[in-house]
Amino acid sequence: MKKLLAAGAIALFGLSNAQMTKGDWVISGNTGLGFNSVQTKYKAEGQSFEGAKISTFSVTPSVGYFVIDKLAVGIDLGFTSITTKEEGDKSTLSNFSVMPTATYYFANSSKLVPYLGAGIGYASITTKETFNNISQSFTTDGLAWKVKGGVTYMATTSLGINLGVSYDQFANKETYFGTEVKTNVNTFGVNAGISYFIKGKSQKSDK
């Protein structure tokens, strides 16, 4: 039993030897745990009513280059879609963002590697609505920024499994027919995904 417990401890906390040194690359793909489809039904006085059906989905692919040990600088792409349907009416909000980011990995002797990151860039939000069989759409874009954090479990020296949280903010200010309209979108999300760490060419050639 002691040997079994020791083997389990080594598997979880053993040396990760993760490739997070200067010149390495990391490619990640995270998706929001909020991917779902929710519909609420109400019943009163013998009659049933259906509430709005809401579907959400988000995905964030990214690539980073380690400029120094443990610090990767790169690009995060983000896409979020929220669709609301109710009694034949439909509204879809799509958010696309491009952000230069910096992520620091607190790599140590454990396979569990905490990380923190931040980025700032551009985002575009498109809203499509259909009410009473009349459709319309409009798009707004502006400055966006994000912070993120979590932990990566290094299943191998190259493959990591991510679990983290992120906070994004989008801000825009436009004038329509003489009226100033400010748009602020704040998003908090929980996400999971994988990261693949690639050894730099210069380090490969040294071996």
Side-chain angles (χ1 to χ4, degrees):
M1 177 62 69
K2 291 183 179 180
K3 291 182 178 180
L4 181 61
L5 293 175
I10 292 174
L12 181 60
F13 299 106
L15 294 176
S16 65
N17 293 320
Q19 300 177 15
M20 302 177 186
T21 56
K22 181 179 179 180
D24 292 344
W25 292 84
V26 56
I27 300 174
S28 300
N30 294 326
T31 185
L33 295 181
F35 173 69
N36 54 40
S37 179
V38 178
Q39 185 170 32
T40 305
K41 294 184 178 181
Y42 306 93
K43 187 174 183 179
E45 297 181 351
Q47 292 184 329
S48 298
F49 306 90
E50 291 187 354
K53 183 178 181 181
I54 303 174
S55 301
T56 65
F57 173 73
S58 65
V59 62
T60 307
S62 64
V63 60
Y65 176 78
F66 284 87
V67 293
I68 60 174
D69 291 356
K70 304 180 183 181
L71 178 63
V73 175
I75 295 289
D76 278 17
L77 302 178
F79 176 76
T80 301
S81 177
I82 303 174
T83 300
T84 303
K85 296 180 180 179
E86 185 174 15
E87 296 182 351
D89 296 330
K90 180 180 178 181
S91 174
T92 300
L93 185 149
S94 301
N95 184 355
F96 175 75
S97 63
V98 180
M99 291 191 198
T101 58
T103 304
Y104 188 83
Y105 294 85
F106 297 86
N108 47 57
S109 59
S110 170
K111 285 192 174 185
L112 296 176
V113 181
Y115 66 86
L116 287 174
I120 186 170
Y122 163 86
S124 175
I125 295 179
T126 299
T127 302
K128 296 181 179 180
E129 300 176 339
T130 300
F131 295 107
N132 298 322
N133 295 320
I134 298 176
S135 299
Q136 62 178 350
S137 66
F138 51 91
T139 300
T140 182
D141 54 17
L143 180 69
W145 60 270
K146 71 183 296 183
V147 291
K148 59 183 179 180
V151 63
T152 297
Y153 171 72
M154 297 305 301
T156 70
T157 57
S158 299
L159 181 65
I161 301 172
N162 311 320
L163 180 62
V165 296
S166 63
Y167 176 81
D168 301 58
Q169 185 179 80
F170 167 85
N172 171 271
K173 182 171 64 176
E174 295 180 328
T175 301
Y176 299 94
F177 305 105
T179 301
E180 184 179 85
V181 178
K182 294 182 179 180
T183 302
N184 285 282
V185 179
N186 303 306
T187 305
F188 175 80
V190 179
N191 51 75
I194 60 173
S195 292
Y196 187 70
F197 298 86
I198 304 172
K199 183 65 66 177
K201 291 183 179 180
S202 61
Q203 297 186 42
K204 290 180 181 178
S205 62
D206 292 339
K207 293 184 178 181

